Amino acid sequence: MLVCSIFLATQIGKYVPGNIGHLVGRAAMLKANDVPVGASSKAMLVEMVMLLATGVVLVVVFMSHWFLAVLGDVASRISITFMTSALAIFSATAIFAAARFRERLKHFLWQLRVDLIASRKRLAAIAMIDLGCFTLNGLALFAAARLLFPETAVGFVACLGVATASFLAGYVTPGAPGGIGVREATTILLLEPSVAANEAALVALAVRLAATAADLIGFFVGTVVLRHRKSRAPRES
């Protein structure tokens, strides 16, 4: 319950420029509740890697036909180049940090390996949770498209692929608060073969507003639970 509450309360931090506010917030709040920074860092690293891995698998399965079809399109090549460049910048930053803190990183990764081996069965559970999250994202996009434009021919499977690819694009773009702009642009680009650009823009906006509302509700719920937990602590001790 503690981890879930902290997760909900800190999700809103991803909208802070830099797109790492939620991660910093989680580490700080977990430390305040006697969870070592090393443990929370390993947990968040596994969370991010599993999220990316699950998303990439979904994109390969559901969007490979799209990537093959648009390789000759100039606008698509520009978008793909931009996302690739953003990923390269992120990777270069990670490599620089690894060189700067080599010994600490070596110990951190060694301990992470030991922990993963000891709890490897949980990785499947994490993958299933991530799969569920991506499925909900696809369902939200599908529902928004059908609600705003009932005559649209886009199906749920296509929406699942588009939502996943859009999320990953915003997730790996350094500095984009909550992936704002990147996710929407990717959604419009991927929906455009089946949905008009102006309609795709409205669908992307509706999904963004719904996601932001969900993050705000999560912040409220998580904060209330944490305050309730804190107020009960003295009486229980």
Side-chain angles (χ1 to χ4, degrees), residues 7-178:
F7 180 88
L8 290 174
T10 55
Q11 269 295 88
I12 199 70
K14 66 186 180 183
Y15 294 102
V16 176
N19 202 20
I20 61 170
H22 57 306
L23 302 177
V24 175
R26 287 176 199 169
M29 294 184 72
L30 286 168
K31 183 179 180 181
N33 285 273
D34 300 323
V35 178
V37 174
S40 62
S41 298
K42 285 184 286 186
M44 287 186 287
L45 179 60
V46 172
E47 173 200 353
M48 290 187 289
V49 171
M50 290 298 295
L51 186 66
L52 288 171
T54 306
V56 168
V57 170
L58 289 176
V59 169
V60 169
V61 172
F62 295 113
M63 297 300 296
S64 58
H65 64 284
W66 182 90
F67 286 107
L68 292 174
V70 303
L71 285 178
D73 182 77
V74 176
S76 299
R77 287 204 303 268
I78 292 174
S79 299
I80 293 172
T81 300
F82 172 78
M83 287 187 287
T84 303
S85 300
L87 183 59
I89 293 173
F90 178 81
S91 300
T93 303
I95 292 173
F96 173 79
R100 178 69 175 80
F101 303 100
R102 182 177 302 174
E103 291 303 319
R104 292 183 182 180
L105 183 63
K106 182 179 179 180
H107 175 73
F108 176 83
L109 293 177
W110 180 85
Q111 187 61 51
L112 176 61
R113 175 178 173 274
V114 173
D115 292 340
L116 287 177
I117 292 174
S119 58
R120 56 187 178 277
K121 293 182 179 179
R122 297 182 183 179
L123 294 179
I126 297 173
M128 293 303 298
I129 292 172
D130 289 337
L131 180 60
C133 291
F134 282 120
T135 301
L136 289 176
N137 285 338
L139 185 60
L141 182 63
F142 176 72
R146 287 302 178 91
L147 179 64
L148 294 174
F149 307 102
E151 71 283 356
T152 184
V154 64
F156 169 70
V157 172
C159 287
L160 175 58
V162 170
T164 302
S166 300
F167 175 86
L168 292 180
Y171 196 76
V172 302
T173 302

Side-chain angles (χ1 to χ4, degrees), residues 66 69-70 76 162 187-197 200:
W66 182 90
V70 303
S76 299
V162 170
T187 298
I188 295 170
L189 176 65
L190 297 179
L191 283 179
E192 196 169 357
S194 304
V195 182

